[in-house]
Amino acid sequence: MNRDFEFRQLLRAYRAGVISEELFEAEIAELERKSVANGSGGGGFRAFGKTYRSERDAIVSFIDKVRVAEANAAEGFAAWANVTPTDCIRSGLRMIAEREAYHGRIFANRLMELGGEGRAQVSDDSRQFNACAADPAMSDSEKLLRVAATIRDPEAIIRPILEFAESLKEDVETKEALRLFAEDELSSTRWLLYACAALNPSVQAEAAGAQAAG
Ligand SMILES: [Fe+2]
């Protein structure tokens, strides 16, 4: 069970008079002892090059950002699907929009379950992406070129998510959600690169050249 959660439960019980001060102190001492034994005490939890107070804090911070970015991207891809004149990419855009939307919901729910606060805001880059995506005057090839430029290497994009998931020891529920999230992102980004190459023959030639050279 999550250490912060256990601590809050104990504090609530003590404040409500359900447990005595002695029992509260004894339980806290036991929690501390367990956390030191697990190696999660003292040094905090390392993730994304930062040190968090606990595994839970790292999760709350990450899934808060994911929830906002995914919900925003869902709107962007849905708007793009609505304006695209290109039949062969419409269904892909719709599928990606659905994936982004449910990632947003899953992580918003998880954030609530963990008692975390929603603090993240939509980034300027995400806002800009949505403006382009919804623009009927911009061609699909141009939109795909812009997206592809931000993707480049799909495996590299999901690597930090998988590493983070791998490092989670207490919250196995979030751990598995992150693994599946990474699989979805890999599928979406690969398809976007493929669609970009299909609609931009020059990119296709470049990719083929790189493959032949590699
Ligand atoms: Fe996404």
Side-chain angles (χ1 to χ4, degrees), residues 70 73 100 103 181 185:
E70 295 295 297
E100 302 292 76
H103 295 154
F181 165 54
E185 293 293 291

Side-chain angles (χ1 to χ4, degrees), residues 7-210:
F7 174 74
R8 282 201 308 277
Q9 295 283 88
L10 279 172
L11 192 61
R12 205 168 296 147
Y14 170 59
R15 282 190 181 144
V18 176
I19 57 171
S20 68
E21 190 175 341
E22 286 79 1
L23 184 56
F24 174 68
E25 280 174 1
E27 291 288 330
I28 292 293
E30 175 63 9
L31 261 188
E32 294 282 319
R33 194 195 58 72
K34 272 199 290 189
S35 104
V36 171
N38 289 340
S40 55
F45 185 85
R46 293 283 299 168
F48 305 109
K50 277 201 254 175
T51 302
Y52 293 86
R53 219 160 38 104
S54 62
E55 180 185 293
R56 177 196 170 273
D57 282 9
I59 290 172
V60 162
S61 163
F62 184 60
I63 67 175
D64 182 27
K65 292 186 202 100
V66 169
R67 128 199 113 82
V68 167
E70 295 295 297
N72 182 73
E75 287 175 20
F77 280 106
W80 185 353
N82 285 340
V83 296
T84 182
T86 318
D87 293 343
C88 67
I89 67 165
R90 195 173 297 112
S91 57
L93 295 175
R94 286 206 173 123
M95 273 200 189
I96 293 176
E98 293 292 334
R99 279 182 188 156
E100 302 292 76
Y102 91 73
H103 295 154
R105 288 196 304 273
I106 290 275
F107 290 112
N109 287 340
R110 190 69 193 134
L111 184 68
M112 244 169 43
E113 285 167 357
L114 292 172
E117 251 178 80
R119 294 198 179 135
Q121 302 285 329
V122 177
S123 70
D124 288 342
D125 283 352
S126 298
R127 229 184 284 276
Q128 231 167 32
F129 165 75
N130 280 20
C132 288
D135 184 358
M138 191 187 285
S139 72
D140 284 329
S141 358
E142 172 64 19
K143 288 177 190 177
L144 284 164
L145 281 172
R146 289 190 183 206
V147 171
T150 67
I151 297 172
R152 290 180 192 280
D153 182 355
E155 303 269 351
I157 291 181
I158 64 154
R159 201 168 300 131
I161 306 173
L162 289 175
E163 282 172 3
F164 180 52
E166 200 49 49
S167 74
L168 301 182
K169 300 286 178 266
E170 295 173 0
D171 185 351
V172 290
E173 197 169 333
T174 304
K175 184 187 184 91
E176 296 308 319
L178 286 170
R179 278 198 176 134
L180 287 170
F181 165 54
E183 295 284 333
D184 278 352
E185 293 293 291
L186 186 62
S187 167
S188 297
T189 47
R190 276 184 179 156
W191 183 82
L192 286 163
L193 289 187
Y194 147 80
C196 180
L199 264 64
N200 293 278
S202 60
V203 174
Q204 209 168 14
E206 244 174 66

